[in-house]
Amino acid sequence: MSQMPVECKGDNWCPITATANLIGKKWHPVIIHRLIEEGPHGFNSLKEEIGGISSKVLSESLDDLQEKNLLDREVVSEKPVRVKYKLTEAGESLEPVIEEMLVWGRSNLVESDTI
Amino acid sequence: MSQMPVECKGDNWCPITATANLIGKKWHPVIIHRLIEEGPHGFNSLKEEIGGISSKVLSESLDDLQEKNLLDREVVSEKPVRVKYKLTEAGESLEPVIEEMLVWGRSNLVESDTI
DNA sequence: CTGTATCCACAACGATACTG
DNA sequence: CAGTATCGTTGTGGATACAG
């Protein structure tokens, strides 16, 4: 089936900047990557796996990704509340992009000890 | 020859976020893409080709990319001053990443007319 | 032609604490 | 378990004007 295109307002229309604007927030790529690699996840589970992100920022990021139709939120049970975050088709289709970022990062970046 | 790895301070070391932090500024991906596609460019030439970016922001972006060893600045002549910006090896090696962003943007995003 | 200097606005992040 | 509420700080971008 056809994928629903994500809308994109104004800008000087350019597929690259538009994409950058979608996944350009600090934690977006990792969140998407974790969901690609490990499938649907709950909030805290995701938080721990990512490491270093605060509840607030994770929450905001998830909201943002959802707004952009890259992610779905599904309430699994109530009491205790359980939620699953999973990628939409559009979200999953980002895999090549994320994968290239991963590959590039691995071979071109080096952790600095000088901190 | 071996590529000089780009340094990367602290963070919670993750190749993806690290990469995102390097090329995550709004105009970085387009700038890199333009330089990949069209080769070395002067300041104003680059500015016009990108479209919609201010001198100040372009200047800042170029400084940032240079600091990160993704870009080189070469003074070609003085009077009038002429400069060439070109990618370093590390910068050029980003092509697959940028290319995937372009491909994804083309097939998954749609320009909204509602603005 | 290649930038800087201001100044302003707002987005993004982070730490911490707290709620249903 | 899944978030919100605050509050403060830094990052990022944009408009405009000006300079070597």
Side-chain angles (χ1 to χ4, degrees):
Chain A
M1 78 287 345
S2 72
Q3 268 175 207
M4 175 137 67
V6 179
E7 271 182 46
C8 179
K9 310 220 170 182
D11 288 353
N12 282 43
W13 172 246
C14 160
I16 295 182
T17 40
T19 303
N21 288 338
L22 274 191
I23 62 168
K25 292 182 70 173
K26 179 167 183 178
W27 299 99
H28 284 196
V30 218
I31 293 172
I32 294 169
H33 187 242
R34 297 301 353 120
L35 291 174
I36 286 173
E37 295 287 298
E38 328 255 359
H41 262 272
F43 188 88
N44 284 328
S45 159
L46 203 47
K47 189 180 169 210
E48 276 146 35
E49 221 179 300
I50 290 171
I53 191 172
S54 71
S55 292
K56 183 209 159 204
V57 173
L58 177 55
S59 183
E60 283 173 353
S61 302
L62 292 170
D63 286 353
D64 188 53
L65 287 169
Q66 200 177 349
E67 221 169 83
K68 287 161 173 166
N69 293 309
L70 298 175
L71 185 123
D72 254 355
R73 185 176 174 280
E74 185 190 346
V75 177
V76 174
S77 88
E78 327 208 357
K79 214 193 186 187
V81 186
R82 248 164 206 291
V83 174
K84 261 191 194 169
Y85 289 99
K86 56 170 194 167
L87 298 174
T88 60
E89 271 186 61
E92 276 175 14
S93 72
L94 278 166
E95 196 195 335
V97 180
I98 307 289
E99 190 60 26
E100 288 298 341
M101 291 180 65
L102 177 60
V103 168
W104 192 88
R106 282 213 184 109
S107 46
N108 293 80
L109 297 176
V110 65
E111 189 168 7
S112 129
D113 302 310
T114 61
I115 202 169
Chain B
M1 79 283 358
S2 72
Q3 269 175 204
M4 175 138 65
V6 178
E7 270 180 47
C8 181
K9 310 219 172 183
D11 289 352
N12 284 44
W13 173 246
C14 160
I16 296 183
T17 40
T19 303
N21 289 338
L22 273 192
I23 62 169
K25 290 182 72 171
K26 180 167 184 179
W27 300 98
H28 284 195
V30 219
I31 292 172
I32 295 169
H33 187 242
R34 296 305 346 125
L35 291 174
I36 286 173
E37 296 285 297
E38 328 254 359
H41 262 274
F43 188 88
N44 283 331
S45 160
L46 202 47
K47 188 180 170 211
E48 277 146 36
E49 221 179 300
I50 290 172
I53 191 172
S54 71
S55 291
K56 183 213 159 199
V57 173
L58 177 55
S59 182
E60 283 173 354
S61 302
L62 292 169
D63 287 353
D64 188 52
L65 287 168
Q66 201 176 347
E67 221 169 82
K68 286 160 173 166
N69 294 310
L70 298 175
L71 184 123
D72 253 355
R73 186 177 174 277
E74 183 190 347
V75 177
V76 173
S77 89
E78 326 209 357
K79 212 185 184 204
V81 186
R82 245 159 209 296
V83 174
K84 261 190 196 170
Y85 289 99
K86 57 170 195 167
L87 297 175
T88 60
E89 270 187 64
E92 276 174 15
S93 72
L94 277 166
E95 197 195 335
V97 181
I98 306 290
E99 190 59 26
E100 287 298 342
M101 289 180 66
L102 178 60
V103 168
W104 192 89
R106 282 209 183 112
S107 45
N108 294 82
L109 297 175
V110 66
E111 187 168 9
S112 127
D113 302 309
T114 61
I115 201 168

